[in-house]
Amino acid sequence: MSETWVGKSLERVEDESLLRGLGRYADDLAVPAGTLHAAFIRSPVAHGIIRSIKTDNLPDDAVVVTGEDMLQLSRPFISGVKVDAPQYALAVDRVRYIGEPVALVLAANRYLAEDAADLIDVEYEQIPAVVDPEAAASGNAPKLHDGTDSNVLHEREFSYGDPGTAFATAAHVIETKIAYPRNSCTPIEGLNVLAHYLPGDDAYDVTANFQGPYTLHTVMARSLNVPGNRLRLKTPPDSGGSYGVKQAVFTYVVALGIASKIAGRPVKWVEDRLEHLSAATSSTNRVTTLKSAFGNHGKLLALDYDQLEDCGAYLKAPEPATLYRMHGNMTGAYAVEHLKIRNRVVVTNKTPTGLMRGFGGPQIYFPLERLMDLAAAQLGLDPIEIRRRNLVPSSAMPYRTASGALYDSGDYTGSLDRAAKEGGLQALVEKRKEARAAGRLYGIGCAAVVEPSISNMGYITTLLTPQQRERAGPKNGALATATVSFDPSGAITVNASSVPQGQGHRTVLAQVVADQLGVAPKSVVVTSDHDTTKDPWSISSGNYSSRFAGAVAGAAHLAAGRIRDRLARIAAADLNVTPDEVEFANGKVFAKSNPDNALPIVRPAAKAHWSPLSTPEDAGDGLRETEFWNMPELTEPDSEDRINSSGAHGFIFDFCGVEIDPETYEVRIDKYVTMHDAGTLLNPMLANGQIRGGFAHGLGAALLEKLDYGPDGSFITGTFADYLPPTACEIPHLTILHDCSPSPFTPLGAKGLGEGNCMSTPVCIANAVADALGKDIATLPLTRSNIATLMLEDEPAGRSQPQTPASPKATGDGHAMTGQGSTLVPATPEDLWAIMLDESKLAAVIPGCHSVKRTRDNAFSAEVTMGIGPVKGRFKVHMALSDLIEPKSLTLTGGATGPLGSSQGSGYVTLTPEADGTRVDYTYEARISGKVASVGGRMMDGAARTLINQFFARLSRQAGGQPPAQSPWTRLLEWLGLKS
Amino acid sequence: MRLLDADSRHTIRFQLNGKAVEGVAAPRMLATDFLREALGATGTHAGCEHGVCGACTIRLDGKAVRACLLYAVQLEGRNVQTVEGLAGHDEELSAMQTAFRKHHALQCGFCTPGILMSLSQLLEEEPGADEARIRDCLSGHICRCTGYHGIVAAALEVFEAHRRSGGESGRERTDV
């Protein structure tokens, strides 16, 4: 019997190259001769009108592409919701979030392109921004899109069963309100595009580290105004991670495509980290009010979701998919007959959202699994027991949920019980008892989650009414594509439209195909790059919705099976047996009844190429088989809005123990156990790798990560020192357990499993922290400062009461600064006064000043170069002096704008004569936005102090005296030769 | 250090993975870009370009440093080792590289080169490092795929084997 490979932990074929530094990532590939490099000019304001884009300072031959070009040469991106809120690849007339691309400039290399970008002068008229989704949805918020009635771009209500009666008659109604924050999986490789417009064909040849879904190929081609066959989209062999995020490269494919068309040259762009964090994409943040009806004995009867989804400034395709991906499984792992949902989508002045590992899962499971804990507390039940009583029973499988999902297989109760037993729950409970007796803050949390995979192409159409769907025609299915071929030497090549981003698809596909053909996996070559012109693919191709194991690997299995059947027919003639007697093993074909009657597999395979006239007619010609596999279960939404949104459904049960340090407010994960039932595991080592990766993302979301904005829309987490992915020191040991209920619906019985912990871990940890503190948790992340806020606030009125999100101010005002100081300047108040009102002298006093102009009485404009933290740039400064009491005091108001951002502020200065000169006292407040706020937040106060000290040192010199008294710090720096 | 003219390009000569290399760069060119674009050593990856993620870590005269925080001209006359130098083209993978494969310590592999460089220094200088110290060393790197489990497991195995063999197995690979 031949050795089989599926189910074994084979080492990866990908690793040999990657470990040697010989990967072929997008930025490693050759570029055509004459390729130009692009740098983007991005909005430094959250909301504003573009008044002008001046390029006078650039050489005449410089290529600058703006929104005007997009208006002329491209079409707005299509979106799932038909509203008049168009988005182009570059902003047209108006900017709606910090980091929005406004223009791009091309040069011979990136350094020169960034130089050129700094010389482009964009004038914005700032208008009020709105960041908070509830505020944006209210009537008096600034409106983002003129063509819409309000910022709420979509609203629908759904009702399944009879939720009205269920709530009216329920013994208990329990409610929670959750504000789920924004985060991102931030692959270490950024987005990357090489676009080449071919005028002779009116076609675009593009290489981008795109990951799918290939629905977006249609979106790009339409925006570029070409049929799909004139957008050749190629993906590189290796990708530096994605987790959904690299879907976001599609708008840049259009921007660079149009730029190439204008420049007549190939153009390339590599995203930098600030561009990525501020503008690539984000998960949605969502405000959810979830109401539940419980009967006696803890039976969950009905759920009522009110979801307000914040998609950022534009509804960028495939949004609002985050809101609908989970539509079939809104009842989670529980058997609930009655369900009500109200969905609203709101736009705010933040980065448009998109695919993110867990896609829509954390946003529903956080409220649902918090609610189960709140209900347990209110009903006097153990949190695990209340879940146990409501889990979908295994006898009900396959189980149709209230909103239409078909849960394929699983023994949820059995998995829960096994996890509790083998994971050591009882010991953890004992530990909590001991810890609490010793006065320590110890808590246990759990979460039960159904993890959907293989998205139905039709789920997004649930947002349409049945009548609208009727008119538009049905959308359904989830085609997966794989091709297996034998070349004339008898060697096997496999290609699939799976676009891997590090998961190890090449290894697994080799295992799957090797099993069908009885060869060693290492003899099978699997290609991982994809080319829409040459490789088979379909609308649902790509690497998303955890579709690889269930759908794509299954398609490869079927394609290999078809080619095996054909080879059997060819070999049968040579072996003198019937085709059904031909076996495949150890690289040979042989007669089942007489294994010595054998041929190397390459013989019949080569024969198909070399001697096609000598092969049986029913074996066909050419040895290449492409399987387009579909799931009949994935029908379109029915007339009552029921939708089987995903093809397979795994089960996860997590529990953990956490301890909170009462002094540092750190949450320490003491133990974490995760139980998965994802059906057949194709390669257990790789499966566990996916679980660990998803867990790390879930843990980051729980404790550290938030894409954060100031109230004015300033983006303030633009570096990896501000946006904090977990490091090796923050990830605890993870105990992984597996159950196996093969899916009856996928060819290999496999289900997706890489996203589940993004759904279960954030709420599992939050439940444990809530248990440790005896407080409700209504938002994330549970950073030390947010834990401190929770611990220091007054006791909440009751655990089931909705609570405002913890401490939005902890980081929300990071870009605002105030300060005061006093310094002694060796000059008279009159001399200082004269300098401060004389533009010719001010130029020498303001640090980094190039010129000062008087614009009117006591108002000046200046050109100044300032450096803050890692960035340095030229700013236009305008300031006005008022409340002048000569020579005693004045108020200074003004601001600075430049490519790095803008500031607005005011200061009050008093001059008091003293024996040795004048004592200058000052107070100031300033708000900063743009790039400076994104990357320099932590350094802002220090930078401001340095600038002020420099100002007074220069003021003293200008007044003819010595610099003011120095701080010991300044003297030390001078002594070290670091400061003059 | 040489005085450099901002508007001129300067010739830079140094040892890269044991071989003399030479190239020309403007003073502001980053070492990452120079290694990748001028010398074709694309194993060194730029992940954040502000010194936090660690993907670009190389060894400069034996010390692990961030290539994104160095200018190309700072490589002049130095001994530079990159991931390509851990195992030559025709050589077998180093013990650490082999352990990475065995323990599934990489998925997308983008952060891996930098991590291998930091661990190679740690193995040379602190072969007695325990798990806490290894995690401390790894905290200078961001890996978004693996949750670090396989990386720590691989490192622990190699450090342990290194100690058992009296310190010979790791050193032979890093002596460039």
Side-chain angles (χ1 to χ4, degrees), chain A residues 255 405 457 521:
Chain A
M457 290 308 294

Side-chain angles (χ1 to χ4, degrees), chain A residues 11-12 15-16 18-23 25 27-28 109 111-112 115 184-190 238-241 243 272-273 277 357 501-503 685-686 688-690 692-694 696-697 705 718-721 723 725-729 731 733-734, chain B residues 28-30 33 36-37 42-43 45-50 52-53 55 83-84 86-93 96-98 100-104 106-113 116 132 135-136 138-139 141-150 152:
Chain A
E11 292 183 5
R12 302 199 317 168
D15 292 353
E16 178 82 22
L18 300 180
L19 286 163
R20 290 178 186 273
L22 302 175
Y25 300 92
D27 196 37
D28 302 335
N109 62 49
Y111 291 79
L112 295 172
D115 287 347
S184 171
C185 295
T186 68
I188 301 300
E189 177 195 42
D238 294 307
S239 172
Y243 332 103
D272 71 26
R273 187 51 54 184
L277 287 169
R357 194 174 195 164
Q501 315 279 313
Q503 296 94 333
M685 179 173 78
L686 270 54
N688 283 346
Q690 288 304 304
R692 292 185 187 284
H697 284 294
E705 298 177 36
T719 74
F720 273 148
Y723 187 85
T727 74
C729 294
I731 306 279
H733 182 74
L734 176 66
Chain B
R28 66 173 174 170
M29 179 171 254
L30 296 178
D33 292 336
R36 294 177 50 79
E37 289 162 23
T42 54
H45 299 147
C48 74
E49 295 181 298
H50 54 261
V52 181
C53 82
V83 66
E84 290 95 337
L86 291 176
H89 269 302
D90 46 359
E91 287 177 55
E92 284 184 14
L93 295 177
M96 191 68 79
Q97 287 168 313
T98 304
F100 263 53
R101 182 165 61 189
K102 178 180 161 192
H103 290 280
H104 193 27
L106 67 156
Q107 289 181 25
C108 82
F110 203 77
C111 69
T112 311
L116 289 171
R135 284 187 184 266
D136 182 43
L138 291 172
S139 72
H141 294 269
I142 299 174
C143 169
R144 287 301 247 170
C145 291
T146 65
Y148 308 99
H149 176 84
V152 173

Side-chain angles (χ1 to χ4, degrees), chain A residues 461-482:
Chain A
T461 62
T462 315
L463 67 83
L464 303 172
T465 63
Q467 296 74 30
Q468 288 169 323
R469 284 199 296 271
E470 186 79 21
R471 281 196 297 275
K475 291 201 172 54
N476 53 40
L479 284 178
T481 319

Side-chain angles (χ1 to χ4, degrees), chain A residues 705-777:
Chain A
E705 298 177 36
K706 185 182 180 190
L707 291 169
D708 215 352
Y709 290 81
D712 63 344
S714 290
F715 179 67
I716 54 179
T717 46
T719 74
F720 273 148
D722 305 282
Y723 187 85
L724 300 173
T727 74
C729 294
E730 282 93 39
I731 306 279
H733 182 74
L734 176 66
T735 301
I736 301 175
L737 299 168
H738 290 284
D739 267 340
C740 179
S741 310
S743 173
F745 303 147
T746 65
L748 294 161
K751 311 178 184 188
L753 52 55
E755 296 183 84
N757 285 92
C758 292
M759 308 176 193
S760 59
T761 299
V763 67
C764 181
I765 292 175
N767 281 344
V769 170
D771 182 48
L773 296 178
K775 295 196 175 238
D776 195 9
I777 305 272

Side-chain angles (χ1 to χ4, degrees), chain A residues 538-728:
Chain A
S538 182
I539 190 73
S540 47
S541 293
N543 181 12
Y544 64 99
S545 78
S546 298
R547 67 198 306 282
F548 173 75
V552 179
H557 170 78
L558 295 173
R562 293 214 321 241
I563 219 161
R564 174 192 161 115
D565 290 345
R566 291 178 52 199
L567 268 183
R569 286 179 211 134
I570 297 171
D574 296 327
L575 296 171
N576 271 323
V577 293
T578 56
D580 60 345
E581 286 181 283
V582 177
E583 289 276 295
F584 291 70
N586 303 318
K588 289 184 177 143
V589 289
F590 57 91
K592 196 187 289 181
S593 53
N594 175 18
D596 291 338
N597 180 15
L599 288 169
I601 191 170
V602 299
R603 289 279 292 281
K607 191 173 178 184
H609 286 281
W610 293 92
S611 326
L613 300 180
S614 312
T615 57
E617 217 163 278
D618 65 355
D621 287 322
L623 271 184
R624 172 184 285 249
E625 285 293 332
T626 296
E627 173 72 28
F628 283 90
W629 176 75
N630 199 11
M631 284 189 105
E633 294 80 14
L634 291 179
T635 51
E636 65 273 17
D638 70 11
S639 59
E640 284 163 13
D641 293 315
R642 282 187 292 253
I643 174 68
N644 185 21
S645 35
S646 301
H649 295 87
F651 176 73
I652 299 174
F653 181 72
D654 285 3
F655 67 87
C656 70
V658 307
E659 182 163 2
I660 292 156
D661 186 319
E663 309 224 315
T664 65
Y665 306 111
E666 183 187 13
V667 177
R668 188 178 62 82
I669 314 283
D670 182 40
K671 184 183 180 76
Y672 199 107
V673 176
T674 186
M675 157 63 87
H676 285 248
D677 184 348
T680 311
L681 299 183
L682 305 180
N683 180 321
M685 179 173 78
L686 270 54
N688 283 346
Q690 288 304 304
I691 290 169
R692 292 185 187 284
F695 172 68
H697 284 294
L699 181 127
L703 299 180
L704 296 163
E705 298 177 36
K706 185 182 180 190
L707 291 169
D708 215 352
Y709 290 81
D712 63 344
S714 290
F715 179 67
I716 54 179
T717 46
T719 74
F720 273 148
D722 305 282
Y723 187 85
L724 300 173
T727 74

Side-chain angles (χ1 to χ4, degrees), chain A residues 820-833:
Chain A
Q820 57 183 24
S822 181
T823 190
L824 187 69
V825 182
T828 64
E830 289 75 12
D831 287 347
L832 296 183
W833 190 267

